[in-house]
Amino acid sequence: MNRKIRSMAVCLLTSTTLMHAQTFLSQNHAMKRVKTAEKFVLLPVEEDEGLAHIRIIKDNQVVKELNCKLAVNKTDYTVPLDVSEFGGDVLLDIQFTGDRRTTGLIRDFACWKEIKETSFFDTENREKFRPEYHHTPAYGWMNDPNGMFYKDGTWHLYYQYNPYGSQWENMTWAHSTSPDLIHWQHQGEAIQPDALGTVFSGSCVVDKENTAGFGKDAVVAFYTSAGAAQTQSIAYSTDNGRTFKKYVDNPVITSDVPDFRDPNVFWHEETQQWILILAAGQQMNIYSSKNLKDWKYESSFGEGYGNHGGVWECPDLLKMGGKWVLVCNINPGGPFGGSATQYFVGSFDGHKFTCESKPEVTKWMDYGKDHYATVSFSNAPDGRIVVLPWMSNWQYANQVPTQQYRSANGLPRELGLFSYGGEDYVSVKPAPEVYAAFDKKPSGRLQAAAYLEVTGFRNNASIVLSNDKGEKVVMAYDGKNGTFSMDRNASGQADFNNDFKATTVAPTCGKVKTLQIFIDRCSIEAFDGEGRMAMTNLVFPSRPYDRITAKGCKVTVHALKK
């Protein structure tokens, strides 16, 4: 997480090996009794192993279930299991998956010597690629941003989270808050799996008029319960999103479509009703409601429109001036492989979305490889449309070279509209809070976390970031052809996945006058000064880039405020 989170993190002061012996029931099955006054049991993880299924049993009842890659040969890192909520006295029922005949005896697995109890879990940064000013989880895996809203001066971010490993699993909503979209504080887990399934993506609204009956200004969360089927559930909070209570009559929307998820809700002023849009296979379904509980199907959009190279996910429907924009995240099918964010501009009457472009037209919000699951903050002040992406790609997200945590969010961005060549497009600019995080006075020296202002463009220009290891990223502007490109083929570590090396190219929709480039240890985000182009790419240099070579333009460096 960012500097504020790390400074608030507690250190691991003491840990002792659990003295409670395990019982082996077969080569794949063991039980371990835990009796401790400490808060956590540390579970040792080996990322190359298969998942072990762990049932936590209290008074002969299963009170929690999770999957964890328990260490068989060696421990890569540990994750905390909070047993204090169950009184510190539980039975762990553990079943290892797969054929174990080639891995040795279960009694010799590394995990049995490494399971420890402790009162504190160390979240101090141990990763050289952890960003300094982008949001990251304190530990564990993160993907889609969920349920984002603004209330009483605080930005709330929930996100898809695995508390028990740094790869995708055990989907839960975790929670972070910020006063300024830059400095984030980890608030723990907000919505956990239940009998209906794990907790997939969704949204939150502030119910100002108590239409649902949960209380005035209650925060109502909508999410996908991912069990044997994908259904839509709700939960509500009366303490500004800190804790949630699940609605007793979940699920509230069901379907026989296998990929049926990611509900996004907003108030439609013109028809005085709530609107919900969600992904249903290769289209988006739209529903309406007066009370946030009972939903009526209105229409669908998507057949024959845009890119259908993968599953449609994580929708949003946004009013911009007199027009509407339907955001559609897709995986795979992105312009350079893997996941990406497309969108459609048109009209919405409270019942049906109509796209103004021809069906074959595809528009991308970002032309990098690492921009996905982009959705907006509900209830943002002053009519702002602020969005936040997940900064990774499903092609390699589970393999990027970090282990304490995986994934960051891209910078917060503000959206608008502009016209070019007879079409309307979404403009993308960094939120003003981003610029406020940097010194106004130029520093003159490139550091691992920096903001570059590029001006004075000629028709052909280039900016090369490099280090003394020969690693580099080459950015080029071609004014004649109206393109901007970023080549990360020699950017640093890339052997973790064959799809990582790439050169991404974006249309500039006119002449580039200024460019803003944001660098943060493992990422580079470039924005046209007028918002007509955005490009987000991960990089993993063995040493931070500390050299800039500019041709056909002028580069000014601004350091991150201390």
Side-chain angles (χ1 to χ4, degrees), residues 15-51:
S15 63
T16 56
T17 302
L18 284 169
M19 300 304 295
H20 314 297
Q22 50 278 344
T23 300
F24 303 112
L25 304 175
S26 73
Q27 185 59 14
N28 291 64
H29 191 189
M31 289 184 175
K32 188 176 186 69
R33 174 68 66 180
V34 173
K35 291 185 178 181
T36 178
E38 307 290 5
K39 182 175 177 62
F40 302 115
V41 169
L42 299 182
L43 302 177
V45 177
E46 183 177 358
E47 285 204 342
D48 289 337
E49 275 303 316
L51 291 167

Side-chain angles (χ1 to χ4, degrees), residues 47-48 51 69 77 140-143 162 165-171 331 339 370 390-403 405-407 496-497 500 538 540:
E47 285 204 342
D48 289 337
L51 291 167
K69 294 188 172 186
Y77 54 86
W141 161 274
M142 178 184 77
N143 57 291
N162 179 12
S166 296
Q167 295 177 332
W168 186 94
E169 191 60 48
N170 305 303
M171 285 295 95
N331 176 49
S339 44
D370 298 299
W390 175 49
M391 194 165 60
S392 196
N393 191 308
W394 278 116
Q395 288 181 326
Y396 43 74
N398 281 286
Q399 290 88 42
V400 295
T402 63
Q403 284 191 334
Y405 81 100
R406 272 203 177 90
S407 298
F496 52 87
N497 188 281
F500 187 77
L538 293 176
F540 297 99

Side-chain angles (χ1 to χ4, degrees), residues 79 134 165 346 434 447 464 482 507 526 555:
V79 292
H134 288 71
V434 175
Q447 298 178 335
V464 179
V555 179

Side-chain angles (χ1 to χ4, degrees), residues 7 12 49 73 79 106 122 138 183 354 382 431 505 516 519 560:
S7 68
L12 177 60
E49 275 303 316
N73 302 295
V79 292
I106 188 173
D122 178 14
H183 301 91
T354 302
D382 305 319
V505 184
Q516 287 82 44
I519 305 165
L560 188 67

